[in-house]
Amino acid sequence: MMSTPQPADRPVIITSLLVITTLFAFISRAFDLHQAWLLLVGVGIGYVLMHALFGFSGGWRSFVRERRSQGIRAQIGLLALTSLLFFPVLGGMFGVTGTSAALAPVGMSVLIGAFLFGIGMQLGGGCGSGTLFTVGWGQIDMLLALSFFIVGATLGSMHLPWWLTLPSLGKISVIQSLGWLPALFVQFSVLGLLYFIVLQLERVRHGSAQALITNSNTSVTHRLIFGGWPLWWAIVALAILNLATLLLAGHPWSITFAFALWGAKIWSALGGDLTAYSFWASGYQVKALNSSVLADVTSLMDFGIILGSMLAAALAGKFAPEGRLKPRRIATAVLGGLLMGYGARLAFGCNIGGLLAGISSGSLHGWLWLVMGFMGSWLGVRMRAWIQQEGRTA
Amino acid sequence: MRHRNRIIVGSAFGLAAIAVAIDHTRHSVPEAQPAAITQDQSVPSSTPCALDSNPCALGGSNPCSLGRTSSPCSL
């Protein structure tokens, strides 16, 4: 069934453009142009995510429920292209200094955290990036999920030191272990195998597979502005914007540290004492806590993503879609948000900071994240189906 | 229904903007630090006012270390 195209939402377009421009000018002045560019990278990411409706949880859900692999194949494509851009840079081929991989220990903390996140992303209805762009889209249930995502991430940050006492193999970088070119070859082999497996599973179930590259009668310019992007546009754009993040910020795109930071700042403003929590007592965290939230790159990019998707949703005439919050949806959004937040902190990031950044920058913890996140997601899909079924029969 | 949702979303965004403004005014922008006491030399020098935006170093210094335990990089 074809949906009727909605007219562009002019008030929201004007508002979002005004906010983006004002914030850009303010940050250029209060910080520097470099910091302001990172806001625009975030805006670009949000715009792309919204126009392509590119998410991780939906792709995984389609595969678990219907054996449709289009979304997962797009994610594999994004992982491959981002790796192709990251490995030479991180391996020192171009002599670029000041960039670092998203390395994290391969241990119980990631194993459990990613599993919890996987459940949460299916219950909550969006992953890390998905939650942000659907909030920008104006979905009120995702506002609720984001609020509890923040609560979960804050709790996770308080408990993380204990989780880190559990067994771990330490950080393992395939770039450091093998050299960037052999590591890239291994990476492509594994990703290629995964692509082939999910493609075959879809063909076995359905006889054919949905294409990643699709044609449309609508002009390229119209789609660029008003939406309906094919997934491969999003793959290319997101990989380039992630490279821009690596070069500008010095680390790959990440999302959820900001959520813990916002929660900690709110907790502190309400009179809560953070000094008892070692996570917030040293290093980058304490600096971030004692500085403006606009000084934190992850926060700034998250704001950009929300603004970018808000602009894209308004251009597509989709901003703030209709819908009433039902009790069961409230419960899944709250539980999903909590699990995602807590899980992301334990797993050193969400599907972006843990999975995409980890794998694309050669950290083995990213692969553990993928396996455990998918297993959690499988369970989350079943739980979500059960909750919906109960809702219908109640 | 859609109008009501727009009001809810707009209010939430407005509240968030106020919170960001309050937070920004509570914290002065960090001064540029002399190179001699900069923790992480790999941070681009073009960002003196931003936080050290490189919480996870591949090697060398590790500003996000928790101290006694392993470091929570990939923040």
Side-chain angles (χ1 to χ4, degrees):
Chain A
M1 189 174 67
M2 293 286 286
S3 58
T4 313
Q6 299 291 317
D9 193 333
R10 284 188 188 175
V12 180
I13 293 171
I14 293 166
T15 307
S16 49
L17 282 175
L18 268 177
V19 174
I20 291 166
T21 326
T22 309
L23 201 53
F24 181 85
F26 177 76
I27 289 167
S28 316
R29 195 179 153 87
F31 299 93
D32 60 10
L33 199 57
H34 180 275
Q35 187 86 343
W37 276 113
L38 283 161
L39 171 77
L40 288 194
V41 171
V43 169
I45 291 173
Y47 188 89
V48 172
L49 290 172
M50 179 65 215
H51 269 349
L53 297 179
F54 191 102
F56 282 68
S57 57
W60 290 15
R61 189 161 55 246
S62 293
F63 187 74
V64 170
R65 291 178 67 168
E66 303 151 23
R67 286 291 179 278
R68 283 295 182 194
S69 67
Q70 190 190 40
I72 289 190
R73 281 182 283 128
Q75 292 159 23
I76 294 171
L78 177 61
L79 285 167
L81 188 54
T82 313
S83 302
L84 182 66
L85 297 175
F86 276 20
F87 274 42
V89 173
L90 293 169
M93 188 195 179
F94 303 115
V96 178
T97 57
T99 56
S100 53
L103 282 180
V106 182
M108 290 299 289
S109 174
V110 172
L111 191 134
I112 293 168
F115 185 75
L116 293 177
F117 190 95
I119 299 172
M121 69 195 255
Q122 295 304 335
L123 292 179
C127 49
S129 50
T131 300
L132 280 181
F133 93 77
T134 48
V135 163
W137 185 349
Q139 296 195 7
I140 51 173
D141 54 338
M142 296 312 288
L143 270 176
L144 197 62
L146 176 62
S147 305
F148 283 88
F149 204 143
I150 292 168
V151 174
T154 312
L155 287 172
S157 72
M158 292 168 173
H159 300 162
L160 181 63
W162 181 82
W163 287 99
L164 290 177
T165 61
L166 298 179
S168 160
L169 298 174
K171 299 174 183 175
I172 302 172
S173 163
V174 291
I175 297 176
Q176 282 183 332
S177 304
L178 306 173
W180 74 265
L181 194 56
L184 187 63
F185 179 76
V186 172
Q187 182 101 322
F188 274 4
S189 304
V190 177
L191 289 172
L193 183 66
L194 269 180
Y195 191 97
F196 178 76
I197 290 171
V198 295
L199 185 67
Q200 284 308 312
L201 286 171
E202 182 177 359
R203 283 178 174 159
V204 166
R205 171 75 70 92
H206 298 282
S208 63
Q210 292 173 329
L212 270 185
I213 299 176
T214 52
N215 293 320
S216 169
N217 294 330
T218 318
S219 74
V220 170
T221 314
H222 190 276
R223 293 167 92 185
L224 274 172
I225 297 170
F226 298 106
W229 287 31
L231 287 171
W232 73 270
W233 287 11
I235 293 170
V236 174
L238 289 174
I240 292 170
L241 289 165
N242 208 342
L243 178 66
T245 309
L246 179 68
L247 297 176
L248 284 167
H251 57 82
W253 172 29
S254 65
I255 288 175
T256 54
F257 170 71
F259 297 168
L261 178 64
W262 302 346
K265 278 177 176 281
I266 293 168
W267 175 248
S268 186
L270 294 174
D273 182 16
L274 287 168
T275 54
Y277 302 104
S278 58
F279 181 88
W280 295 108
S282 63
Y284 181 85
Q285 297 92 307
V286 78
K287 271 181 145 178
L289 207 53
N290 293 319
S291 307
S292 163
V293 73
L294 297 174
D296 172 53
V297 169
T298 316
S299 298
L300 196 60
M301 288 186 65
D302 286 356
F303 296 146
I305 291 169
I306 293 174
L307 289 167
S309 64
M310 183 176 164
L311 173 63
L315 283 164
K318 293 179 181 172
F319 181 72
E322 286 185 33
R324 185 184 291 275
L325 270 182
K326 295 177 180 169
R328 277 170 201 277
R329 178 60 193 128
I330 292 173
T332 53
V334 168
L335 184 60
L338 281 172
L339 286 171
M340 280 195 286
Y342 198 84
R345 202 59 280 130
L346 266 55
F348 299 92
C350 60
N351 55 302
I352 299 300
L355 192 162
L356 177 61
I359 291 179
S360 304
S361 56
S363 177
L364 213 56
H365 90 285
W367 286 102
L368 179 61
W369 201 113
L370 173 63
V371 173
M372 295 312 297
F374 189 80
M375 286 171 67
S377 218
W378 184 89
L379 181 60
V381 169
R382 300 280 180 252
M383 288 170 69
R384 183 179 157 130
W386 179 78
I387 290 168
Q388 285 172 344
Q389 185 68 29
E390 287 293 302
R392 279 195 287 271
T393 55
Chain B
M1 179 61 73
R2 194 174 182 194
H3 182 67
R4 193 200 64 163
N5 287 357
R6 286 168 77 96
I7 291 172
I8 292 172
V9 173
S11 307
F13 286 0
L15 272 176
I18 292 168
V20 169
I22 291 171
D23 179 73
H24 185 75
T25 51
R26 280 177 65 176
H27 301 293
S28 57
V29 174
E31 294 294 325
Q33 297 188 353
I37 58 166
T38 301
Q39 272 193 317
D40 186 353
Q41 297 293 335
S42 66
V43 173
S45 58
S46 58
T47 59
C49 295
L51 288 172
D52 291 347
S53 52
N54 194 348
C56 310
L58 233 171
S61 64
N62 194 343
C64 58
S65 171
L66 282 175
R68 285 164 304 190
T69 57
S70 53
S71 66
C73 278
S74 302
L75 291 171

